[in-house]
Amino acid sequence: MARASKQPPIREKSGNRPGEYLHVLISDARLHRRVRQLAHEIRRDFPKDALHLVGVLKGSIFLLADLARELRGEVSFDFIGVSSYGTGTSSTGAVKLTKDLDVNIESKTVLIVEDILDTGLTLKYIQRLFEERKPKHLRTIVLLDKPERRIADVKADYTGFAIPNEFVVGYGLDYDQRYRNLPGVCILRLSTRKSKTT
Ligand code: IMP
Ligand code: MG
């Protein structure tokens, strides 16, 4: 006889379209606590510098907004657009610049703000591009890291949470542009199960 599992059941709830299921991986309260800690670490590392945050559109917007408000001292921000994922949950591998910076980063202390480090191809591309522009310091913060998926040799200086190899949405992260507005980070599971008709 199979032993009853002591693991609590995974609480899964329906997403906003049929066949899409979500369960919370990181609550909004945990996210906010971690972002506050990271803001303190960053300020400790650069106590005097004006920090120029560069958000990678669009997944980083909530991290950037929360981080900017937790950072003391002088802060400015800008955004860059890159496309790496087409649609759905799998990468095409190609990275393309879709929106460049508005402000020159030469001699600035720049913090790249990214939602998730997956294969690392996007971040590698942005880091290379920015290095050529001669910032005073270049650092990277990512909210999430999926180390199992790494292809490019790239590291973030500040990481919110290392997570398992699951597709996640919420707090800026999307599935086909949807679910960015979830306050926490959720695992998204897609089901091809047919609904019962009998
Ligand atoms: P990378 O170039 O493979 O590291 O991919 C980075 C980009 O892919 C991120 O900025 C996200 O936009 C997207 N991405 C990777 N994993 C996920 C995920 O689990 N959910 C949503 N987007 C993801
Ligand atoms: Mg992204």
Side-chain angles (χ1 to χ4, degrees):
M1 204 170 83
R3 263 193 311 165
S5 165
K6 287 202 177 120
Q7 295 263 319
I10 292 173
R11 270 176 298 147
E12 222 168 37
K13 55 182 192 228
S14 296
N16 48 35
R17 293 203 187 166
E20 297 177 0
Y21 299 89
L22 300 167
H23 86 259
V24 178
L25 182 67
I26 310 167
S27 69
D28 54 340
R30 268 183 82 200
L31 288 171
H32 288 119
R33 274 200 301 275
R34 185 69 183 128
V35 171
R36 190 168 307 137
Q37 279 175 350
L38 290 169
H40 287 141
E41 264 181 55
I42 293 164
R43 229 346 140 201
R44 201 188 51 215
D45 294 348
F46 298 97
K48 298 257 162 62
D49 290 32
L51 293 170
H52 189 62
L53 312 187
V54 175
V56 183
L57 291 170
K58 306 172 192 120
S60 68
I61 60 160
F62 296 118
L63 173 60
L64 185 138
D66 287 342
L67 186 69
R69 286 177 293 180
E70 293 291 348
L71 282 167
R72 301 295 128 230
E74 196 175 319
V75 171
S76 55
F77 45 82
D78 199 351
F79 294 94
I80 191 169
V82 289
S83 67
S84 53
Y85 269 49
T87 55
T89 60
S90 61
S91 173
T92 58
V95 182
K96 195 177 83 188
L97 190 66
T98 57
K99 185 217 166 289
D100 205 345
L101 297 173
D102 292 335
V103 180
N104 190 350
I105 57 169
E106 191 177 332
S107 306
K108 289 187 165 44
T109 297
V110 175
L111 185 67
I112 301 169
V113 183
E114 173 64 310
D115 51 6
I116 188 165
L117 187 47
D118 188 32
T119 64
L121 294 168
T122 307
L123 195 57
K124 185 90 191 169
Y125 172 89
I126 297 170
Q127 287 180 345
R128 274 214 194 114
L129 185 74
F130 284 9
E131 296 282 8
E132 286 168 14
R133 298 178 181 185
K134 310 264 181 291
K136 180 177 168 201
H137 300 286
L138 183 63
R139 297 290 184 273
T140 302
I141 178 170
V142 296
L143 180 72
L144 306 173
D145 182 6
K146 283 192 220 171
E148 280 174 58
R149 297 253 310 158
R150 197 79 79 253
I151 294 173
D153 178 23
V154 63
K155 280 198 179 67
D157 302 284
Y158 308 95
T159 300
F161 300 89
I163 61 164
N165 185 12
E166 300 271 8
F167 194 81
V168 290
V169 292
Y171 198 69
L173 289 138
D174 74 305
Y175 169 62
D176 279 349
Q177 301 304 323
R178 297 183 287 113
Y179 295 117
R180 291 193 198 274
N181 58 319
L182 295 175
V185 171
C186 296
I187 294 178
L188 173 72
R189 295 232 166 83
L190 302 176
S191 163
T192 48
R193 268 177 278 159
K194 294 229 170 71
S195 52
K196 277 190 187 161
T197 50
T198 50

